[in-house]
């Protein structure tokens, strides 16, 4: 797959940015991505916009990102996916548990606007906390698109 070919070729290197915007990975394509994410460390940006991901896939993604695989994640874009309240609830859990997550983009989803607002506010709270604590550096060395 294009994702596998784009991974760092040096053993021990990790992807800090994964941009699969408009790749339409869908329900079945998310499984290989989850396997890669489980083994990756240091991911800062994950863009899965326009990939036809549904609630079950988002919950599975969140479960992986709740492990140490998601410890560095700062930016998550799940825009234009048919995610509703169940997926939104999982995303809210992620934002509240992973204080590094400072940006969540959910444009064009089926999540109720008030829930999206609460998710964005929680991410903004994480951002303010990070800024108060001196912030963090962005070392984007490997990009997957």
């Amino acid at each position: 797959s294009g994702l596998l070919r784009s991974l760092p070729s040096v053993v021990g290197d990790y992807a800090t940015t994964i941009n699969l915007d408009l790749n339409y990975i869908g329900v079945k394509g998310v499984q290989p991505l989850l396997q890669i994410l489980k083994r990756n460390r240091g991911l800062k940006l994950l863009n899965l916009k326009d990939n036809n991901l549904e609630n079950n896939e988002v919950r599975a993604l969140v479960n992986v990102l709740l492990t140490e695989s998601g410890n560095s994640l700062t930016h998550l874009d799940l825009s234009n996916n048919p995610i509703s309240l169940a997926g939104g609830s999982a995303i809210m859990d992620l934002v509240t548990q992973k204080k590094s997550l400072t940006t969540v983009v959910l444009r064009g989803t089926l999540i109720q606007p008030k829930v999206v607002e609460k998710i964005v506010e929680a991410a903004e709270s994480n951002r303010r906390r990070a800024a108060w604590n001196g912030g963090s550096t962005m070392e984007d060395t490997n990009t997957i698109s």
Side-chain angles (χ1 to χ4, degrees), residues 1-9 15 17-21 23 25 28-38 40 43 45-48 51 61 142-145:
S1 93
L3 176 60
L4 290 175
R5 285 190 302 272
S6 299
L7 289 173
S9 59
T17 299
I18 297 178
N19 182 0
L20 296 177
D21 181 11
N23 274 274
I25 60 174
K28 293 187 184 212
V30 78
Q31 292 308 316
L33 173 64
L34 295 178
Q35 294 306 310
I36 289 167
L37 290 176
K38 285 178 186 178
N40 195 64
L43 181 66
L45 183 144
L46 179 58
N47 183 354
L48 296 173
N51 273 283
L61 174 66
N142 297 309
T143 301
I144 297 175
S145 34

Side-chain angles (χ1 to χ4, degrees), residues 96-115:
T96 57
Q97 291 182 50
K98 293 294 182 178
K99 301 303 183 188
S100 65
L101 188 51
T102 57
T103 304
V104 178
V105 186
L106 297 167
R107 291 184 201 99
T109 66
L110 303 173
I111 304 170
Q112 297 170 337
K114 291 218 179 256
V115 175

Side-chain angles (χ1 to χ4, degrees), residues 79-124:
S79 296
N80 301 323
N81 286 292
I83 308 164
S84 63
L85 184 58
S89 177
I91 296 164
M92 186 63 174
D93 289 344
L94 179 65
V95 174
T96 57
Q97 291 182 50
K98 293 294 182 178
K99 301 303 183 188
S100 65
L101 188 51
T102 57
T103 304
V104 178
V105 186
L106 297 167
R107 291 184 201 99
T109 66
L110 303 173
I111 304 170
Q112 297 170 337
K114 291 218 179 256
V115 175
V116 171
E117 186 178 315
K118 287 184 185 285
I119 292 168
V120 170
E121 285 173 3
E124 177 63 20

